[in-house]
Amino acid sequence: MTLVQGLDYTSVFIFGLTGALAASRAQLDIVGFLFLACLTAVGGGTLRDVLLNRDQLFWIADPGMILSACVAAILVFFTAHFLESRLRALEWLDALALGVAVPAGVGVALGLDQSWPIVLIMGVATGTFGGLMRDVVCNELPLILKKGELYASAALVGASAALLAAKFTTDSLIILTVCGVTTVALRAGSIRFGWCLPVYKSRPPRQ
Amino acid sequence: MTLVQGLDYTSVFIFGLTGALAASRAQLDIVGFLFLACLTAVGGGTLRDVLLNRDQLFWIADPGMILSACVAAILVFFTAHFLESRLRALEWLDALALGVAVPAGVGVALGLDQSWPIVLIMGVATGTFGGLMRDVVCNELPLILKKGELYASAALVGASAALLAAKFTTDSLIILTVCGVTTVALRAGSIRFGWCLPVYKSRPPRQ
Amino acid sequence: MTLVQGLDYTSVFIFGLTGALAASRAQLDIVGFLFLACLTAVGGGTLRDVLLNRDQLFWIADPGMILSACVAAILVFFTAHFLESRLRALEWLDALALGVAVPAGVGVALGLDQSWPIVLIMGVATGTFGGLMRDVVCNELPLILKKGELYASAALVGASAALLAAKFTTDSLIILTVCGVTTVALRAGSIRFGWCLPVYKSRPPRQ
């Protein structure tokens, strides 16, 4: 298994958990859990593969990916009621999945020798689209649009960190670790400590 | 015309009717009818073809598909006011379309010798995504997320029935008929008699 | 630069402005602006390229497209508060972008010698999907579904005008200009003067 495949597996599993948690909040049946888990789990990577026109989607090349998302769905179906707050669990798992999926996107784009804007976009798109589809389908405000939180920003800075690291080393383990750790750290800091960027104000403050 | 093409045509027409009914509920003009009918009609099959990286989308290979969706839109524009309940008509037609689109997805995947998880996913995705896009665009709760109804489940069991039938016969007419009949029967039973799977409860019942 | 590339650049920039305006209405940070600007800017053209199975997406072949959308995002982030009504600005810019993106879609489809229904669809899809994704992600009623306005209709008539013009000339500058001007004129007339097509009524008027 290559490094990128490992990242894909991990992000599929964790995003699968978040999809299943969203299904639990919508009180779906087990197949609804499977559906939302798979959609969330493979959404970002599928977009990446379609945009880059890869010969085969990562989960068609290796259907074990789908089974991994299904295991996540079943796990949540039988254990989610032990959680104190499923919304909080969803948010933290989503942060973790973001930190795995961004390097998965960056790694594939770097492997295909794409230019740096494309590497950044593949990192952000792979990281964010699974969760975005989950939220759009569930008719909830996407996490990515929550005011005053780092989300797309965390993904973008993480992907940029990978580009920076790639200037100094060719070891993809180091590059992708830097990417993932940066992303998770920023996102976690935002959830836990309220880190954020200044948001747009419709009028500048009066003097 | 191959069997799968026939299924594609039929599902395009029926899903086109449901898209047009959604347009009538949103009180759009005739072009809005055409737009939503086409989106719903070809949405699922387009996803299938993009995911499987087929050379040409089914409706680009045969633009008659689009005309068929347009006929559905025009038909509904001039006759929907005769219906007693457009919501109920939409639901029943959607059930019928599901039962045609699932075998259309399964048939293509089987024809490409895909592994069984991929066959199941193509069945479910082809069956459900057109309607899902219709509901997301119209900002309505997707039918697939309605609590206590078989929808994704009906599609999944239908696709599984096809895999089972494929163990005993190679006649795709039989395989796809089993698939479609199972899907429609479960979905119709759910609408008419309330058949459902147990849904997730946030707390297990007290003893 | 070919004519179609120029249209792609222009529509990317203007749609980028509308995405950034939507971000300002959701009070996002600068990365949120970049995200929504890019999504809106390349959404329609990406769909076109994926549907037509082109070898490379237009913005992967030329990453300058992405930078152009980013410039639009930054511009709006620092100047939008000078606008009296950001909603009105969004609507007018969207009309302009529609009039550039529809010919961009039509031009590509004509260049690939597609049949006329496909040319029409590529025009409408390229013109409308970026804005549709912007509105769906922001959880707003899509402009395309607003009652009693020409939107999909303007795109469809514009694309049809291109087909008509193509009967008389092979000069793509003329064909695509006719297409764009028709689209913008209809859409602008609809915003400014309330031009519209009759909408569906659930019951015909009593006699």
Side-chain angles (χ1 to χ4, degrees), chain A residues 53 115 121 145 147 200 202-203, chain C residues 28 55 63 80-81 86 137:
Chain A
N53 208 1
S115 59
I121 287 178
L145 289 188
K147 256 187 283 183
Y200 174 81
S202 54
R203 295 279 168 216
Chain C
L28 300 182
D55 285 341
H81 59 275
R86 280 171 287 138
V137 167

Side-chain angles (χ1 to χ4, degrees), chain A residues 28 55 63 66 80-81 86 137, chain B residues 53 115 121 145 200 202-203:
Chain A
L28 300 182
D55 285 340
I66 296 298
H81 59 275
R86 279 170 290 140
V137 167
Chain B
N53 209 0
S115 59
I121 286 177
L145 289 188
Y200 175 81
S202 55
R203 296 276 169 219

Side-chain angles (χ1 to χ4, degrees), chain A residues 13 16-18 20-21 24-25 30 33 70-87 89 93, chain B residues 199-204:
Chain A
F13 185 76
L17 294 174
T18 73
L21 282 169
S24 81
R25 286 165 47 82
I30 180 69
F33 274 64
C70 292
V71 169
I74 293 166
L75 197 70
V76 170
F77 189 75
F78 288 109
T79 64
H81 59 275
F82 292 121
L83 292 171
E84 214 164 292
S85 163
R86 279 170 290 140
L87 183 55
L93 285 170
Chain B
V199 301
Y200 175 81
K201 289 277 194 319
S202 55
R203 296 276 169 219

Side-chain angles (χ1 to χ4, degrees), chain C residues 95-136:
Chain C
L96 204 57
L98 188 72
V100 183
V102 170
V106 165
V108 168
L110 283 177
L112 294 172
D113 279 325
Q114 296 286 342
S115 60
W116 66 265
I118 305 303
V119 172
L120 292 181
I121 286 178
M122 290 304 148
V124 175
T126 309
T128 59
F129 262 77
L132 186 61
M133 287 174 68
R134 175 194 64 213
D135 298 341
V136 164

Side-chain angles (χ1 to χ4, degrees), chain C residues 39-50:
Chain C
L39 182 79
T40 311
V42 304
T46 301
L47 181 73
R48 172 198 67 197
D49 290 356
V50 168

